[in-house]
Amino acid sequence: MTGAYRSESGIELPTVAGPDDVRPGLDARLGAPGEYPFTRGVYPTMYTSRPWTMRQYAGFGTARESNARYHQLLAAGGHGLSVAFDLPTQMGYDSDEPIAHGEVGKVGVAIDSIDDMRTLFDRIPLGEVSTSMTINAPAAVLLLLYQLVAEEQGVPGAKLTGTIQNDVLKEYIARGTYIFPPRPSLRLVADTFGYCASELPRWNTISISGYHMAEAGATPAQEIAFTLANGIEYVQTAVDAGLAVDDFGPRLSFFFVARTTLLEEVAKFRAARRIWARIMRERFGATNPKAQMLRFHTQTAGVQLTAQQPEVNLVRVAVQGLGAVLGGTQSLHTNSYDEAIALPTEKAARLALRTQQVLAYETDLTGTVDPFAGSYLVEGLTDEVEDAAVALIDKVFEHGSAVAAIEAGFQKQEIELSAYQVAQQIESGERTVVGVNRFTSDGDEPYEPLRVDPTIGAEQEKRLAALRADRDDPAVRAALAAVRAAAAGTDNVLPPLKAALAARATVGEVCHALRDVWGTYRPAERF
């Protein structure tokens, strides 16, 4: 029986689902939890043995301020850290460069050198805490700083656990914090894979992200299609560099959004696992089950938060978090209710974490594995989302590769069209947003946002001046020359990068050394 409701991906949902909405061969498409094709989850017991990792994305101002917030979150029961970096750091610039003026510490923490990284993780035992870093173009640089600080704590690389986002392809599609052109960027990703295989074997070397594409307007089907297409590109790059898929495949991870459309989100996560398992086994010949698994982190949908009646966001975030858990996420960040207005206050961040804790410890979600298995609606919708995503992946590779499709503007154009359609639906009232175009209020209660100290930029400039006055400049210049030589050749660039950072070269200096060789990407360029 069909209905008038269409999902975010444009799939018509039945008013009443029944057996006819589920295609034959369901058992083969499901498998058992922890077994190929992982539709029911990547682990046999899922949350019945322990809940998902509860991360809270945080970072603002100086490293000292962010360090204080991390201690607060860990004391409140958080399991891991998720670091937000400011725009200059994301773009590979130091805080004292003219282009960084006015942006230092605004949307994340400013990290210019090993001194800042040491302060950021002061009194946090890196051998015991899992850390995710949302950093892309200079991901290798921040990872090496993290490793250096861990070594100072006496923690070997083999004990470090966490993730770097390191997904630069989606930056060309949806976000824009790229540095180098696509091909040298892919070379840096492959070098990171190779380095971590020997130096940080438990580290997740990339978090291939659909979240930012979804925030830019991608539908659920577009989100997983374009994310998995980028994943294919990364795997192919690593294979071409001589790495074995069964060796590096287990260290790949993904990052998705959780919207308020709970049922389609559950179907999306299930479909994504199934598609990726098939890609890794059939396209790349992976035989290691861990290399076939799609493990992912989820963040609730920031784009769906509203500045109007912000407390309603608490409800949205709870529903979104529920969808992520029912979909089988491995870790979760729940947004704070005030993020549509400003950086989260301490109280708002704590409430966001408490939302996860209620889901984990006050509901029955952790009592069973994959409770939606066999649902007429969800299984049928999973198949539909899978079909739509696979068709889009095929369209990407009609261009030859994900990079070629990016250069042609295919993914960006598809996402922009979807975003425009949603905006039209909200404007017309066809799509309800509570507190915005329906159920509005004449006056909202006053809200006091977190304010970032405007003197942070000047403070970072003083820190950089002191660092440069104190360090061994000839040693830094020699180390940066070694970085350029490696970038111009075929050697892995991470060992010379680490040596330069240990000599107290700054994030901006090592990124500029790579720019000298690889150039800077300009959107109008075609490669």
Side-chain angles (χ1 to χ4, degrees):
M1 182 183 298
T2 59
Y5 182 86
R6 286 191 174 272
S7 75
E8 295 287 302
S9 298
I11 298 164
E12 191 171 346
L13 269 61
T15 303
V16 178
D20 291 344
D21 294 294
V22 181
R23 300 173 191 172
L26 176 62
D27 287 347
R29 296 197 301 280
L30 282 180
E35 296 180 9
Y36 185 91
F38 306 103
T39 308
R40 301 199 62 192
V42 294
Y43 302 123
T45 58
M46 288 303 290
Y47 312 133
T48 60
S49 54
R50 66 183 178 92
W52 57 94
T53 300
M54 299 179 195
R55 299 188 189 278
Q56 288 305 111
Y57 184 51
F60 61 92
T62 64
R64 192 165 303 283
E65 289 175 292
S66 292
N67 174 262
R69 175 62 62 85
Y70 297 156
H71 281 285
Q72 292 163 2
L73 290 170
L74 291 172
H79 299 162
L81 300 175
S82 185
V83 183
F85 297 95
D86 72 356
L87 280 176
T89 305
Q90 293 181 49
M91 299 292 291
Y93 293 109
D94 288 330
S95 295
D96 60 355
E97 297 190 53
I99 196 171
H101 182 72
E103 293 293 342
V104 177
K106 288 293 179 65
V107 300
V109 61
I111 298 295
D112 291 316
S113 71
I114 189 172
D115 294 6
D116 290 330
M117 189 65 92
R118 190 182 296 122
T119 301
L120 185 66
F121 292 104
D122 182 41
R123 296 176 292 111
I124 294 175
L126 299 187
E128 302 172 19
V129 172
S130 172
T131 301
S132 172
M133 292 188 280
T134 302
I135 192 73
N136 294 287
V141 176
L142 276 298
L143 174 61
L144 292 169
L145 287 174
Y146 188 86
Q147 183 186 12
L148 286 167
V149 171
E151 289 174 353
E152 291 178 354
Q153 292 186 2
V155 180
K159 287 191 66 176
L160 294 178
T161 60
T163 304
I164 43 173
Q165 192 163 107
N166 201 24
D167 175 10
V168 73
L169 291 182
K170 66 96 174 48
E171 298 296 324
Y172 305 111
I173 295 172
R175 210 166 157 266
T177 60
Y178 41 70
I179 299 177
F180 317 111
R183 286 174 173 76
S185 293
L186 285 173
R187 183 255 178 105
L188 185 57
V189 170
D191 281 358
T192 304
F193 287 0
Y195 178 85
C196 289
S198 59
E199 300 294 326
L200 291 90
R202 299 177 64 195
W203 195 269
N204 295 323
T205 48
I206 192 167
S207 176
I208 307 165
S209 175
Y211 180 89
H212 303 92
M213 289 186 268
E215 293 284 281
T219 67
Q222 289 173 336
E223 177 192 356
I224 61 172
F226 298 151
T227 303
L228 299 187
N230 286 348
I232 292 170
E233 193 80 30
Y234 292 126
V235 173
Q236 189 63 59
T237 298
V239 169
D240 291 345
L243 302 178
V245 69
D246 279 334
D247 292 339
F248 71 81
R251 300 267 56 90
L252 304 177
S253 66
F254 292 80
F255 176 24
F256 295 117
V257 78
R259 302 169 179 82
T260 52
T261 44
L262 184 148
L263 296 175
E264 186 175 17
E265 292 301 284
V266 172
K268 176 191 77 177
F269 296 133
R270 294 161 65 83
R273 278 193 294 269
R274 197 154 71 203
I275 297 168
W276 187 247
R278 190 166 60 245
I279 287 169
M280 291 298 279
R281 187 166 81 168
E282 297 179 5
R283 183 170 185 146
F284 292 107
T287 58
N288 181 353
K290 291 184 178 180
Q292 300 168 352
M293 293 178 182
L294 183 145
R295 295 169 302 110
F296 64 96
H297 170 71
T298 309
Q299 181 173 337
T300 56
V303 73
Q304 291 187 319
L305 302 182
T306 65
Q308 300 91 334
Q309 302 180 32
E311 293 85 356
V312 177
N313 293 329
L314 287 165
V315 182
R316 294 187 177 101
V317 169
V319 172
Q320 293 162 359
L322 177 62
V325 173
L326 289 171
T329 192
Q330 275 59 72
S331 63
L332 176 61
H333 164 80
T334 35
N335 288 328
S336 301
Y337 74 90
D338 54 357
E339 288 188 43
I341 303 171
L343 289 170
T345 61
E346 180 184 346
K347 178 181 179 180
R350 186 171 59 249
L351 282 170
L353 178 59
R354 294 288 184 252
T355 301
Q356 293 199 52
Q357 290 165 338
V358 168
L359 292 175
Y361 300 112
E362 292 192 22
T363 75
D364 53 5
L365 290 173
T366 60
T368 187
V369 177
D370 188 27
F372 270 128
S375 160
Y376 297 139
L377 186 284
V378 169
E379 298 297 1
L381 187 54
T382 298
D383 291 341
E384 295 281 0
V385 172
E386 179 180 8
D387 289 349
V390 168
L392 279 169
I393 292 172
D394 290 342
K395 285 186 178 181
V396 168
F397 285 95
E398 286 176 5
H399 292 82
S401 67
V403 168
I406 288 168
E407 292 167 350
F410 171 69
Q411 298 98 317
K412 191 170 188 292
Q413 183 176 349
E414 291 288 304
I415 291 169
E416 288 173 350
L417 178 59
S418 296
Y420 177 65
Q421 290 171 344
V422 169
Q424 284 186 311
Q425 291 167 0
I426 294 172
E427 182 70 23
S428 68
E430 179 184 349
R431 178 186 293 252
T432 295
V433 181
V434 174
V436 176
N437 62 3
R438 286 187 72 187
F439 314 112
T440 56
S441 176
D442 292 335
D444 294 330
E445 294 181 9
Y447 168 81
E448 184 61 34
L450 176 72
R451 302 193 184 279
V452 176
D453 187 345
T455 65
I456 286 172
E459 291 177 12
Q460 285 296 112
E461 289 182 20
K462 289 179 183 178
R463 288 172 60 83
L464 281 165
L467 176 144
R468 292 188 174 108
D470 185 55
R471 68 187 184 183
D472 183 344
D473 272 346
V476 172
R477 288 196 296 272
L480 292 173
V483 170
R484 293 186 190 94
T490 58
D491 290 346
N492 192 308
V493 298
L494 269 72
L497 278 174
K498 184 183 179 187
L501 294 166
R504 301 177 78 193
T506 67
V507 170
E509 287 167 343
V510 297
C511 288
H512 285 311
L514 294 175
R515 284 183 178 97
D516 290 343
V517 179
W518 292 340
T520 301
Y521 178 71
R522 305 294 181 210
E525 292 178 7
R526 293 292 182 263
F527 297 89

